[in-house]
Amino acid sequence: MNLKIVLSGILGGKSGKDGQGGFYKAETTYNELLEGVIKPNKKYFDEIDIVLHCWNTEQEADILHHYKPTSYKIEKQKKFGVEQASKRRASKLYSMFESFELLKETEPNPRDVVLMTRFDLSYITSLQFEKYQPKINKNKVCFPGTTNESIRLNDLLYFSNYKTLESTLTDEMYDDIYNCMRHKNERVMYINSKGVKRMDNHTIIAEIFKDCSVVSLSDYLAQSDVYPIRKT
């Protein structure tokens, strides 16, 4: 059994979203993944492979040097037919589905564990898949602990077996969700505590996986166990 690490998006901004403050170096983001995911799971899996889609074309050489992906696509930022406020979400959605398409081309085993994640995460507590294997074997899609999994899911990372994700992350699903974003369909909108309705990544993820058996990991939490890098 193998572990497939699937990365998407950008390397992450040092001072905020969209590369604010300059982007992290590939060496920095890779070392976080190495210490938090790869090393703790080396003895458990036969092989650990990396697949990635990324928009940081100016760092392509460094990305390939450090991550050594089995399959990859690093391209210039695409333009999406959504309103300005939703462009980042549309970019995130596309990159996530595109990275999974790259994974499909490598012909994984249905039982392989697939971690869908982003570049700029600090794994404060190492993510050890052996303890979650019973859930993975039952085709659960596992997310870091979140407050309301029926409405919103944490979008930092998620994992399951390949067979389960393959049946969900399809071209049809991408087209459906993208069209919802274009037309501001309520399926991808969230009403916050102030009563303001807005498009929301957590809601989008929940909509994608609404027909799956989703589990929120009470023992592996966002903000305490895994969190976007906050160091330069």
Side-chain angles (χ1 to χ4, degrees), residues 1 10 13 40 46 61 69 99 101-102 129 181 184 191 216 226:
M1 181 176 60
I10 59 175
D46 297 322
S99 64
E101 283 297 316
L102 294 169
F129 290 98
M181 295 173 69
K184 301 178 70 173
I191 301 177
S216 177
V226 60

Side-chain angles (χ1 to χ4, degrees), residues 7-14 19 22-30 52-60 62-63 67 118-121 229:
L7 292 146
S8 60
I10 59 175
L11 292 176
K14 295 178 180 179
F23 290 103
Y24 285 108
K25 293 181 179 180
E27 180 180 8
T28 299
T29 57
Y30 175 74
L52 62 86
H53 177 271
C54 186
W55 302 114
N56 291 95
T57 55
E58 70 285 355
Q59 294 200 46
E60 179 169 350
D62 283 341
I63 292 169
Y67 285 92
R118 49 195 259 186
F119 289 92
D120 64 337
L121 292 186
I229 299 172

Side-chain angles (χ1 to χ4, degrees), residues 26 34 61 87 126:
L34 178 65
K87 289 187 183 298
S126 62

Side-chain angles (χ1 to χ4, degrees), residues 134-155:
K135 292 181 173 64
I136 295 170
N137 289 344
K138 292 180 180 179
N139 303 323
K140 303 287 187 181
V141 184
C142 303
F143 291 80
T146 185
T147 55
N148 192 333
E149 63 197 52
S150 65
I151 299 175
R152 304 175 82 226
L153 290 171
N154 197 290
D155 66 341

Side-chain angles (χ1 to χ4, degrees), residues 14-42:
K14 295 178 180 179
S15 301
K17 299 175 180 178
D18 300 324
Q20 293 176 6
F23 290 103
Y24 285 108
K25 293 181 179 180
E27 180 180 8
T28 299
T29 57
Y30 175 74
N31 284 339
E32 294 286 346
L33 183 70
L34 178 65
E35 297 299 325
V37 179
I38 296 175
K39 285 184 177 180
N41 290 284
K42 270 196 169 182

